Amino acid sequence: FSITSFTKAIQCAMMEHFYWQPLSVLVCSSEGSGRIGEEGVASLTHLQCEMVRATPSFQRHVESLAPEKQLSLLENDSTLKAEVRELLSLLASYHRIFFPLLECLSHLTRGLPGAPLGRKLHELYALCLEQKITEHAKFDSTWTLLGVLGRSDLSSILAQCVRVLENPVAECSSCPSALSNALAALKGFVCDLKQLDQQPTEGSGQEGGGASEPSARPAVDETTGERKMRFQERLRQLAARKKEPTEYEKLRARILDFLFDLFQTHLMCPHTLPLYELYYFNQFSSLRKHLAAAPRAAIQTALSRPDYYLPSASGVTEKTRLDANMPDICIAYQLHLECGRLINLYDWLQAFVAVIQPEEAESEEEEESGSKRKSGKSSKQEVDTVLHAHFIQAVSELQFLGFIKPTRRKTDHVQRLTWGAC
């Protein structure tokens, strides 16, 4: 792992996102403007408005509205632009609340035994991107562990959450009221815990004295079995009696209820929000293809189908058909696929010449029967020299790429090294 490669991966993901989602330019705020996408929404064309209407999350949003509102959004571009402004404002407010509360939840859960929701912030964020975090299967076990936190641990965690929320509230003048209200409530809980620390521990004498009430002295004539039955009945009565919660337990339950409602309200899955596609990238297949490159597959694709990368290299798109307009290395590569483990260089050269100059190959057959003129023979010798050089260069490139290698068994043969070409 390196910071440079990670940065390049983030840049590649951003490039892919803006390429596959042209409407993502709406989330870019212009210089000197605090409102995201204000100028972009105003300059939307009719075609771009149709792209907004075709967005799946926006279609779900429209289906939840009244019929009159639906008709207006689908037919009137001005109404659509006003709705997009409001949705983008809601998304911006959602992000200003989401990330500070996500960090607070990370402080709450990272120190728990086993860390059901993960010890790192990015692990918790990945779970939030999958579904609503309060509905996750691991959230119930996490909340059960929080229900037995000690007083000192809960106080330190709440102090960390207060510090997390103080920064966005102090820096942003238009901070959402949910954050300021949550900050005030957490500060109040911290003060309540400090007051409990100053009070003496309650319930110690009550637990020691109240739990063991004086029981009637057994009669002298009771047998051992009767005394045992009487003792078991006494234990059942004590087990059925509910223990009175202490002041700290009541306060802890109140704090956890408040935090649960806070997380349930504001830590929603982004995929449930309209126009979330403008912010979030989910083209993992194309991104994985760029980041986890497969050079052998790319090389074999280029050699077997040069038109995939060079449309002007050949007008033929069939993978199995050879064409004289293809690059020399592509012709030599496809010819070597037809051979076995050992390839005869002379036969390979003759097949190479037959593909590039099929008319010359026919003239060679006529020459073998003794019907070729001397002038034609000298011109053929010049062409053969050039073709021979092209063939040697193509074979050298294939050897450099690792498709073939020389063999000591036969000097005029090469050994094929790869199989199962794409």
Side-chain angles (χ1 to χ4, degrees), residues 314 316 320-336 338 347-362 364 387 391:
S314 173
V316 182
T320 58
R321 184 174 176 182
L322 292 173
D323 188 86
N325 295 325
M326 298 171 67
D328 296 336
I329 187 175
C330 298
I331 298 175
Y333 172 78
Q334 295 196 35
L335 289 174
H336 110 288
E338 303 173 0
D347 295 339
W348 197 2
L349 173 61
Q350 295 302 318
F352 182 81
V353 173
V355 172
I356 294 183
Q357 293 183 351
E359 66 281 356
E360 293 292 340
E362 296 177 358
E364 286 183 3
L387 289 178
F391 175 73

Side-chain angles (χ1 to χ4, degrees), residues 159-409:
Q160 292 175 350
C161 294
V162 167
R163 287 194 294 270
V164 168
L165 295 181
E166 281 178 344
N167 292 330
V169 172
E171 294 175 359
C172 183
S173 58
S174 59
C175 178
S177 59
L179 279 185
S180 56
N181 295 338
L183 177 61
L186 290 180
K187 287 182 177 180
F189 289 139
V190 171
C191 294
D192 294 341
L193 287 173
K194 289 181 179 179
Q195 292 177 2
L196 283 181
D197 290 337
Q198 297 173 359
Q199 296 178 1
T201 305
E202 300 178 359
S204 57
Q206 182 179 359
E207 292 176 3
S212 59
E213 296 179 357
S215 59
R217 187 171 183 176
V220 178
D221 57 350
E222 270 187 348
T223 63
T224 305
E226 291 175 348
R227 284 198 301 269
K228 185 177 180 180
M229 291 177 59
R230 200 163 171 273
F231 181 69
Q232 290 177 350
E233 181 65 24
R234 179 60 181 164
L235 289 179
R236 280 193 292 268
Q237 292 177 1
L238 291 177
R241 180 181 301 175
K242 293 183 179 179
K243 179 184 175 183
E244 185 69 21
T246 62
E247 291 297 326
Y248 167 69
E249 291 173 347
K250 294 179 183 178
L251 178 59
R252 180 178 60 192
R254 233 173 42 243
I255 294 173
L256 293 181
D257 290 341
F258 170 78
L259 291 175
F260 182 84
D261 295 338
L262 188 66
F263 296 145
Q264 188 177 30
T265 304
H266 298 289
L267 291 187
M268 298 179 294
C269 180
H271 297 172
T272 61
L273 303 175
L275 295 183
Y276 79 92
E277 294 92 345
L278 275 62
Y279 281 92
Y280 295 90
F281 174 76
N282 57 2
Q283 299 288 339
F284 302 114
S285 57
S286 62
L287 185 62
R288 190 179 296 110
K289 183 172 63 176
H290 293 306
L291 299 183
R296 177 179 173 181
I299 292 173
Q300 288 180 329
T301 302
L303 293 177
S304 58
R305 293 184 56 191
D307 56 282
Y308 185 81
Y309 295 102
L310 302 172
S312 61
S314 173
V316 182
T317 58
E318 297 180 7
K319 185 172 68 173
T320 58
R321 184 174 176 182
L322 292 173
D323 188 86
N325 295 325
M326 298 171 67
D328 296 336
I329 187 175
C330 298
I331 298 175
Y333 172 78
Q334 295 196 35
L335 289 174
H336 110 288
L337 294 179
E338 303 173 0
C339 302
R341 188 170 60 88
L342 295 178
I343 306 175
N344 188 302
L345 288 174
Y346 180 78
D347 295 339
W348 197 2
L349 173 61
Q350 295 302 318
F352 182 81
V353 173
V355 172
I356 294 183
Q357 293 183 351
E359 66 281 356
E360 293 292 340
E362 296 177 358
S363 65
E364 286 183 3
E365 296 179 357
E366 297 177 358
E367 183 188 3
E368 291 178 358
S369 61
S371 60
K372 188 144 181 79
R373 292 181 298 176
K374 185 177 180 180
S375 59
K377 184 176 180 181
S378 61
S379 62
K380 174 183 177 302
Q381 183 67 29
E382 182 180 354
V383 173
D384 284 345
T385 303
V386 176
L387 289 178
H388 198 181
H390 281 275
F391 175 73
I392 292 175
Q393 182 179 5
V395 172
S396 301
E397 291 174 351
L398 288 178
Q399 181 179 351
F400 176 76
L401 293 175
F403 290 101
I404 58 173
K405 73 172 184 178
T407 178
R408 295 183 179 179
R409 294 184 180 180

Side-chain angles (χ1 to χ4, degrees), residues 48-60:
Q48 291 173 327
C49 290
E50 292 297 327
M51 294 174 62
V52 173
R53 294 186 178 102
T55 306
S57 61
F58 186 78
Q59 291 178 354
R60 293 194 299 269

Side-chain angles (χ1 to χ4, degrees), residues 18-238:
F18 281 95
Y19 177 77
W20 290 105
Q21 181 53 261
L23 294 175
S24 56
V25 296
L26 295 177
V27 304
C28 301
S29 58
S30 58
E31 297 181 0
S33 175
R35 304 184 65 178
I36 295 179
E38 183 67 28
E39 296 181 0
V41 173
S43 60
L44 283 177
T45 63
H46 178 71
L47 180 59
Q48 291 173 327
C49 290
E50 292 297 327
M51 294 174 62
V52 173
R53 294 186 178 102
T55 306
S57 61
F58 186 78
Q59 291 178 354
R60 293 194 299 269
H61 171 68
V62 172
E63 291 173 358
S64 64
L65 301 176
E68 297 81 7
K69 183 72 172 177
Q70 294 181 11
L71 186 62
S72 179
L73 288 175
L74 295 176
E75 295 182 352
N76 194 336
D77 290 348
S78 300
T79 307
L80 176 70
K81 293 178 182 179
E83 187 71 14
V84 169
R85 288 192 189 94
E86 183 178 354
L87 294 178
L88 290 179
S89 177
L90 291 177
L91 277 171
S93 178
Y94 163 78
H95 288 139
R96 284 196 294 266
I97 300 174
F98 179 85
F99 291 108
L101 292 184
L102 181 69
E103 192 172 351
C104 291
L105 181 57
S106 178
H107 284 299
L108 274 173
T109 59
R110 67 176 57 173
L112 295 178
L117 297 181
R119 299 190 183 277
K120 301 295 184 180
L121 182 62
H122 68 85
E123 298 176 354
L124 181 60
Y125 184 44
L127 295 178
C128 292
L129 292 179
E130 294 176 0
Q131 65 180 99
K132 194 172 184 178
I133 190 62
T134 55
E135 298 175 358
H136 200 276
K138 298 179 180 179
F139 191 82
D140 293 337
S141 59
T142 301
W143 219 248
T144 302
L145 293 174
L146 289 175
V148 295
L149 274 180
R151 186 183 303 181
S152 59
D153 294 336
L154 185 59
S155 299
S156 62
I157 291 175
L158 290 183
Q160 292 175 350
C161 294
V162 167
R163 287 194 294 270
V164 168
L165 295 181
E166 281 178 344
N167 292 330
V169 172
E171 294 175 359
C172 183
S173 58
S174 59
C175 178
S177 59
L179 279 185
S180 56
N181 295 338
L183 177 61
L186 290 180
K187 287 182 177 180
F189 289 139
V190 171
C191 294
D192 294 341
L193 287 173
K194 289 181 179 179
Q195 292 177 2
L196 283 181
D197 290 337
Q198 297 173 359
Q199 296 178 1
T201 305
E202 300 178 359
S204 57
Q206 182 179 359
E207 292 176 3
S212 59
E213 296 179 357
S215 59
R217 187 171 183 176
V220 178
D221 57 350
E222 270 187 348
T223 63
T224 305
E226 291 175 348
R227 284 198 301 269
K228 185 177 180 180
M229 291 177 59
R230 200 163 171 273
F231 181 69
Q232 290 177 350
E233 181 65 24
R234 179 60 181 164
L235 289 179
R236 280 193 292 268
Q237 292 177 1
L238 291 177

